[in-house]
Amino acid sequence: MNLGIKDKRALVLGGSKGLGHGIAEALAAEGAVVALTGRDQAKAAQSAAQIGDSAKGFALDLADADVIDPFLDLLARDFGQIDILVLNGGGPPPSLAAEIDPAFWRAQFDTMVLAGMRITNRLLPPMRQNGWGRIMAVASTSIREPIPGLTASNALRSAVAGWLKTLAGEVAGEGVTVNMLLPGRLATDRTLSFDRMDAESEGLDIETVAARSQSDIPVGRYGTPAEFGAAAAFLASRQAGYITGVALPIDGGLSRAMI
């Protein structure tokens, strides 16, 4: 299937590794020109080189509010107008709902919510003017079924969901779609870190913990960044122009909720 995104320009935040890199690869394979970001310039450049000439790496730390506007200025000058925006970043550390640290919440809100809003607000107007654009955010199935111990992720990703659902309705008539991708348990460094923490706390080897975790998934295994990227590429496609305001679980059937 020709997805109709050849020569479209995409920005994939957090595209230097994991799910973001899987998305960047999938978009580039469909002919898009991809700018991907990572906190480390060398790592971002290396990840772009792995994809090929259609990708370029940029340094961006979403936790540093002062660098966002200069980065967007640089992007506009050296890369061009963005047609496809992928909001993606690392998840917050585990936290308990009964343990409220205002400084922690403020820092996580700035990184996980406000940074994406600022970037979207800068890149959205040309999409609306051109009558075509794709915005998607990588979140978590925790917006449907909160995950114990991940309070910040549960709450802040739900805030992003509410914002994006509202935005989807505002721009739908102008050819811009807004969707969310909800990863379950996929083979990434973050999943490995959770398996390692459980293994250490229970005195088990990590292979045993990983096998137990995968046994909960109806598909019976962790998903891959490539599978995740393929779903993102379709939502970015010309054919997906009638799909907006959707939160799509990509979790091998792990979520039990239908809506």
Side-chain angles (χ1 to χ4, degrees):
M1 181 184 293
N2 179 0
L3 298 186
I5 58 174
K6 186 177 187 301
D7 297 327
K8 295 291 188 184
R9 294 193 169 264
L11 171 61
V12 182
L13 303 180
S16 64
K17 63 180 181 178
L19 300 182
H21 189 74
I23 293 173
E25 284 188 313
L27 293 173
E30 293 297 330
V33 184
V34 180
L36 60 85
T37 74
R39 285 190 294 268
D40 180 79
Q41 174 62 52
K43 175 62 175 175
Q46 180 183 27
S47 296
Q50 292 172 354
I51 294 173
D53 293 340
S54 61
K56 185 173 183 179
F58 294 86
L60 177 64
D61 184 354
L62 294 175
D64 186 350
D66 292 336
V67 305
I68 291 178
D69 284 330
F71 162 73
L72 293 173
D73 293 337
L74 173 67
L75 188 73
R77 186 182 71 242
D78 293 352
F79 189 77
Q81 178 182 303
I82 298 301
D83 306 295
I84 301 166
L85 171 61
V86 180
L87 303 174
N88 173 54
S95 57
L96 298 177
E99 299 175 358
I100 302 299
D101 179 345
F104 168 80
W105 280 95
R106 186 174 297 110
Q108 294 301 322
F109 178 83
D110 286 348
T111 301
M112 294 181 61
V113 183
L114 194 56
M117 289 179 172
R118 290 178 61 191
I119 292 170
T120 300
N121 287 348
R122 277 282 303 268
L123 300 180
L124 178 60
M127 296 183 190
R128 302 176 82 169
Q129 292 166 9
N130 293 335
W132 199 96
R134 300 289 185 263
I135 298 170
M136 63 188 84
V138 178
S140 168
T141 54
S142 66
I143 71 169
R144 293 187 172 190
E145 298 177 3
I147 300 172
L150 296 183
T151 306
S153 178
N154 298 340
L156 296 177
R157 294 195 193 282
S158 294
V160 172
W163 163 59
L164 288 177
K165 182 65 173 178
T166 307
L167 179 64
E170 292 177 357
V171 300
E174 297 168 283
V176 180
T177 66
V178 182
N179 293 294
M180 298 188 78
L181 298 160
L182 309 183
R185 298 174 189 172
L186 291 103
T188 63
D189 290 344
R190 183 167 171 81
T191 298
L192 177 62
S193 71
F194 286 141
D195 285 346
R196 184 178 292 115
M197 283 192 300
D198 288 344
E200 291 175 355
S201 66
E202 298 178 40
L204 300 171
D205 61 77
I206 194 169
E207 291 79 11
T208 298
V209 170
R212 182 182 66 192
S213 176
Q214 292 174 79
S215 70
D216 293 335
I217 304 170
V219 169
R221 60 177 177 82
Y222 290 148
T224 68
E227 290 173 312
F228 193 85
F234 178 74
L235 285 179
S237 72
R238 180 184 65 248
Q239 291 88 338
Y242 204 61
I243 301 173
T244 194
V246 166
L248 176 66
I250 305 169
D251 64 356
L254 181 62
S255 298
R256 299 306 189 245
M258 283 294 291
I259 58 174

